[in-house]
Amino acid sequence: MDSNDTRVPVDEFNAALWRRYHNGKIRNVYPLIKYNDIIEKIKTIEENPPCNTPGEYYLLRKFIVVNVNGKERLSCKPENCILAENSQETSVSTKFYVALEEIYGFLNEAHKWIKHGCRDRIVRKLQSQGIVNITRDTVELFLSFCKLCRPGKNSVSRRIGPKSQSIQVSVNPLPQNIHESPSTTENGSENPVLNNHIASETKIELNQNNSIPQTTVCTFTRGFIDLIDYSLSPDGDYRYVFLYMDVQTCLCALYPVRCKCTFEIVSHLLSVFTLLGPPQVLHSNFENSFLFSIIQELKQALPELILVSGSTNYAEVQEVAQNCICEVNSMLKTWMFETKSNHWSYGLKLVQLRKNTKIPCNSTKSSYECFFGHSLNSNLSPEIDINLLKKADKEENLLSLINEQNSSESFISQLLVSLALLTLGCSTKIHGDYMA
């Protein structure tokens, strides 16, 4: 029953769910990064009262942090807790939210538990577990990908003609034999409505079969932009971290910004594009209208720019971007902890360099090397000790250190050659004496 053929595909469902999230069609659902950040913010506010910003008051009014099965969860306050819409409240001890990336797991378990049952049974199962932010619409979206729950999904039929003469025709029917054409009625006369329908479908099939060369999506260079919210720990006027990431190499550029406005974002993108070059496709977690206004401003500043907004169908882009955001956020907090400084705007560029020159565990090259084609100190010989050269403060000192290392290496190499020749000569003499 739950074989691979009947299991809901996780990638397709998550891609559809991300599209709904970006279009604002689902509420009270947050990506895992934002979900964990809200939990940390609430814990920080509770440990260090009082609140200082309206955002902090909003978080404390709406959420609390609870422990569910040994894991910290985001929960709503009793007076604000509303279960899935149009549903009756059930008696559960702890009600909590789940992150967007966790929705598939909970739905899949409930779906298997009720053995491909209806929507309402899945909703009641989720409510009994205490989950409050998986609505009926989300359950219906999940069931739309199940072949057993939606057996007629691929066999779409159309009703043609008046209700008294309803004729069922499949979407892509073409007569196998001209004598069996359904375009004639029982008395032998032609049905003009049906003829037009078949002609239009034949035209569609001919257009689909045309062998027109198409550009693959892999040929586009892609960029990703987003804002990391630091409004709970502002650095002066700076409240956000603007991030631009090259999707192919994960090279990122970081800038502190004061507010989520088009001017600041366009200004930083112009700095990136004029230095690194622009992509053709720009992805983002922003609203479509806001991203469109950013692209229009960029095209006015750079008339030769070819740039379009990226589709939300690429779950891989979202996954890579979220991993990059999480890593940057972790590095920046580590820098603040190590330096005991709250001026994170100063540490952004240091984090940027550390992130771009870090070699991931699943690769042999850093993002910097993948983008530029060379490492940070590729013009120096690999045999030279970089730590020794860091002590130089003038060009003369740097040259002398390099010459000293080169001379010592030359001496060592000559010594090794001499030892090798001496060893070879001794072995030859012994072999000659033995043969004699």
Side-chain angles (χ1 to χ4, degrees), residues 391-406:
K391 301 177 181 179
D393 55 350
K394 295 182 179 179
E395 182 179 0
E396 293 79 4
N397 298 338
L398 182 63
L399 289 175
S400 62
L401 288 173
I402 293 176
N403 291 331
E404 287 178 5
Q405 292 197 40
N406 288 335

Side-chain angles (χ1 to χ4, degrees), residues 189-370:
S189 61
E190 293 185 352
N191 189 337
V193 177
L194 192 57
N195 278 336
N196 294 335
H197 179 68
I198 295 176
S200 63
E201 288 181 350
T202 307
K203 183 177 180 181
I204 292 174
E205 283 208 357
L206 291 175
N207 289 337
Q208 290 176 348
N209 291 333
N210 287 339
S211 58
I212 301 175
Q214 304 212 355
T215 304
T216 61
V217 295
C218 299
T219 59
F220 297 135
T221 56
R222 300 176 180 273
F224 180 90
I225 59 174
D226 200 2
L227 290 178
I228 305 176
D229 189 3
Y230 269 76
S231 57
L232 295 181
S233 56
D235 183 6
D237 294 336
Y238 296 120
R239 295 180 176 272
Y240 298 93
V241 174
F242 171 73
L243 177 140
Y244 172 81
M245 183 191 71
D246 178 71
V247 175
Q248 280 76 9
T249 61
C250 293
L251 186 84
C252 65
L254 306 175
Y255 296 92
V257 294
R258 297 174 178 84
C259 61
K260 184 181 177 181
C261 59
T262 307
F263 175 77
E264 286 202 59
I265 295 176
V266 170
S267 176
H268 293 315
L269 282 176
L270 285 174
S271 300
V272 174
F273 290 173
T274 53
L275 182 64
L276 304 180
Q280 282 88 47
V281 182
L282 188 62
H283 296 267
S284 175
N285 286 333
F286 298 150
E287 298 84 0
N288 292 333
S289 57
F290 187 61
L291 181 60
F292 180 77
S293 63
I294 291 173
I295 293 176
Q296 293 304 312
E297 291 285 342
L298 288 170
K299 288 184 176 180
Q300 289 183 4
L302 299 174
E304 67 277 8
L305 182 66
I306 299 176
L307 186 64
V308 297
S309 60
S311 173
T312 58
N313 295 334
Y314 300 107
E316 295 83 1
V317 175
Q318 291 291 338
E319 182 178 357
V320 171
Q322 293 302 323
N323 290 337
C324 181
I325 292 173
C326 182
E327 189 174 4
V328 168
N329 196 19
S330 176
M331 284 185 171
L332 187 56
K333 290 181 178 179
T334 302
W335 179 87
M336 295 169 64
F337 176 78
E338 291 177 348
T339 59
K340 295 180 176 58
S341 173
N342 292 326
H343 297 292
W344 48 263
S345 61
Y346 174 79
L348 274 182
K349 292 304 177 182
L350 305 177
V351 170
Q352 173 183 309
L353 179 63
R354 187 181 303 176
K355 167 68 175 64
N356 291 334
T357 55
K358 178 184 176 182
I359 299 179
C361 57
N362 57 350
S363 177
T364 59
K365 295 182 179 180
S366 64
S367 300
Y368 185 97
E369 191 172 357
C370 291

Side-chain angles (χ1 to χ4, degrees), residues 51 57-58 75 133 135 150 178 180 260 308 341 378 434:
C51 303
Y57 284 107
Y58 171 80
S75 178
N133 63 333
T135 62
R150 292 290 185 270
I178 191 171
E180 301 174 358
K260 184 181 177 181
V308 297
S341 173
S378 59
Y434 174 78

